[in-house]
Amino acid sequence: MHFDHYGGEAARLAADLVNLTEPPRPEHLEPLLIEHGIAHPALTAAQAETIWTWSRRLATCFGRQDLEGRCQAVNTLLADASSSPRISLHDGRPHLHYSSIGADPSAHIRSVTAAGLAYVVCSADPERLGRCARRDCGLAFVDTSRNGRRAYCSVRCANNDAVARHRERRAGDAPASTARTSRRT
């Protein structure tokens, strides 16, 4: 599945922000923002706190839910981000920007992530905003697989879950196999 910068890449940034486990320091956010193509990734401590609070709100858009509820959650984020799309030519090609020129970096991140989630809901499939199915994980992810049926945040979680299910099945078989063995002796 192909995503443009302001679509899927912004949704992936939203997932990564949701997966933060504690309020980040600006220097810890900067590499993440650069990785996702944010042009001005340097934040103040107050802006990093704003992004932490925003990330907790983004979390409501991931995981299984009815379409109306997901759309309402994304619309609330779009309204609160005051997203106003406009066409920019700063790199010579027309493309959309979702925040005003010179916007505070945290305002830009809020606008971009809200628009990215809206893009996935409207242009891909709302179910692609997932949560890991492994019992003790629950990380948010954007499903970019071809068939859109991804259930885990990573191959590691998928493998760990498969091993755990296998062990549970074997543990369930253990008493029966022990009984058979004891009859033979």
Side-chain angles (χ1 to χ4, degrees), residues 99 127 160 184:
S99 59
E127 294 301 314
N160 287 347
R184 288 185 192 150

Side-chain angles (χ1 to χ4, degrees), residues 23-157:
R25 295 176 49 172
E27 61 271 18
H28 296 141
L29 269 178
E30 193 167 335
L32 177 67
L33 299 175
I34 290 169
E35 176 185 337
H36 290 288
I38 299 298
H40 303 289
L43 302 175
T44 65
Q47 291 166 338
E49 180 61 34
T50 297
I51 295 305
W52 168 253
T53 303
W54 182 252
S55 73
R56 304 304 86 189
R57 294 184 59 206
L58 292 169
T60 63
C61 298
F62 289 86
R64 293 199 173 276
Q65 56 190 280
D66 67 274
L67 181 59
E68 189 173 326
R70 189 184 316 263
C71 289
Q72 185 174 353
V74 173
N75 279 333
T76 299
L77 293 171
L78 286 167
D80 292 348
S82 299
S83 180
S84 299
R86 63 182 176 77
I87 299 173
S88 173
L89 292 169
H90 70 82
D91 66 356
R93 294 182 10 244
H95 61 276
L96 289 173
H97 274 219
Y98 291 94
S99 59
S100 61
I101 295 171
D104 170 276
S106 63
H108 175 70
I109 293 163
R110 289 190 323 269
S111 294
V112 165
T113 53
L117 295 175
Y119 173 86
V120 172
V121 168
C122 295
S123 299
D125 178 358
E127 294 301 314
R128 288 183 179 264
L129 299 175
R131 289 275 186 180
C132 187
R134 194 175 121 231
R135 187 176 319 140
D136 297 327
C137 183
L139 288 177
F141 65 88
V142 179
D143 181 357
T144 58
S145 69
R146 178 171 274 206
N147 67 4
R149 298 193 189 279
R150 184 171 152 196
Y152 299 95
C153 67
S154 65
V155 172
R156 181 179 184 195
C157 271

